[in-house]
Amino acid sequence: GAGVSQSPRYKVAKRGQDVALRCDPISGHVSLFWYQQALGQGPEFLTYFQNEAQLDKSGLPSDRFFAERPEGSVSTLKIQRTQQEDSAVYLCASSLSGLLLGTGELFFGEGSRLTVL
Amino acid sequence: AQKVTQAQTEISVVEKEDVTLDCVYETRDTTYYLFWYKQPPSGELVFLIRRNSFDEQNEISGRYSWNFQKSTSSFNFTITASQVVDSAVYFCALSESVGDYKLSFGAGTTVTVRA
């Protein structure tokens, strides 16, 4: 497809389960971002990749959160031992270059809605 | 500390009315970028505009216009002659020069346009 694709769109997990969320960015996009959006709030930055390098993971809430992008394209966000407070929409975004180059446009996927029971 | 404040949580208007969304930001950087994104019910955020801190010219794009005032640290967004399709959550965001890849989003303003 032409846009950023995320899967699954919806995920229900029992507390303590591990989950993996996948992001397929737009082909050729160098930069990839993960954001977390709690209900009724704006997205919060989690982590940033430039190609396969994870340049910033300062937004990851705990060491239960892990992201990778091994070949510089598809990325996976993994959450171990999920807790109820992890319930949110996880948004992936990509851009051809950085925010300050070109139009600065980030292309977002529709998100993966995680509900932890 | 909240870097971007969108004081209006919800705005409801009748079609064809104008609606202005307020955005106030906070930064110590002299170089920064401001953005507006639209989030329709489908969930994906749609880029609307990026402005840099050195360009205070107001911008108009169709029914959309933006008013950037550094003196008041505001970057307000107006939809003229609103339509039902404008119903969405609108987010203002800031990118500071130190971390130019990060966006700090406001809490968003939900706009409902009634026919």
Side-chain angles (χ1 to χ4, degrees):
Chain A
V4 176
S5 177
Q6 292 188 245
S7 60
R9 289 292 315 278
Y10 303 92
K11 175 69 179 178
V12 178
K14 291 183 179 178
R15 191 173 57 176
Q17 280 185 333
D18 297 348
V19 300
L21 308 176
R22 177 188 168 103
C23 172
D24 273 282
I26 294 173
S27 177
H29 278 196
V30 168
S31 299
L32 185 144
F33 307 79
W34 284 98
Y35 282 81
Q36 180 190 56
Q37 186 175 19
L39 189 64
Q41 299 298 316
E44 298 268 351
F45 171 82
L46 293 178
T47 187
Y48 163 62
F49 290 87
Q50 189 172 84
N51 295 307
E52 69 279 2
Q54 187 176 21
L55 299 187
D56 189 336
K57 54 182 181 179
S58 63
L60 296 177
S62 75
D63 57 9
R64 296 186 295 104
F65 286 71
F66 172 76
E68 61 182 4
R69 191 186 186 198
E71 296 178 359
S73 55
V74 171
S75 176
T76 303
L77 176 67
K78 298 179 180 178
I79 309 173
Q80 297 178 322
R81 304 181 303 281
T82 52
Q83 304 293 317
Q84 285 188 322
E85 62 262 29
D86 299 335
S87 295
V89 175
Y90 291 87
L91 295 166
C92 177
S94 70
S95 70
L96 187 59
S97 53
L99 282 180
L100 304 187
L101 301 176
T103 65
E105 180 174 1
L106 280 187
F107 294 84
F108 281 83
E110 292 180 325
S112 292
R113 181 179 297 277
L114 173 64
T115 302
V116 182
L117 303 177
Chain B
Q2 187 71 22
K3 294 184 179 181
V4 178
T5 302
Q6 295 180 254
Q8 305 145 306
T9 305
E10 294 184 35
I11 299 176
S12 182
V13 297
V14 176
E15 213 169 16
K16 297 184 184 177
E17 285 185 353
D18 297 349
V19 55
T20 296
L21 311 181
D22 298 334
C23 173
V24 174
Y25 62 92
E26 181 182 333
T27 180
R28 293 181 178 179
D29 290 344
T30 54
T31 303
Y32 52 89
Y33 292 77
L34 296 162
F35 299 76
W36 276 94
Y37 276 83
K38 173 182 180 180
Q39 189 174 41
S42 55
E44 83 283 12
L45 285 114
V46 178
F47 170 86
L48 296 178
I49 190 171
R50 180 193 72 174
R51 298 306 297 275
N52 72 57
S53 53
F54 297 107
D55 183 1
E56 287 193 72
Q57 265 195 326
N58 292 331
E59 183 157 339
I60 298 175
S61 177
R63 295 184 297 106
Y64 295 167
S65 62
W66 291 268
N67 183 287
F68 176 29
Q69 293 196 345
K70 285 179 75 171
S71 60
T72 56
S73 297
S74 66
F75 186 44
N76 297 337
F77 171 36
T78 297
I79 304 172
T80 303
S82 60
Q83 300 176 1
V84 172
V85 293
D86 295 327
S87 297
V89 183
Y90 291 86
F91 292 97
C92 180
L94 167 71
S95 175
E96 296 172 288
S97 60
V98 173
D100 66 359
Y101 47 84
K102 290 182 186 178
L103 287 178
S104 297
F105 284 87
T109 298
T110 300
V111 173
T112 302
V113 182
R114 308 185 309 277

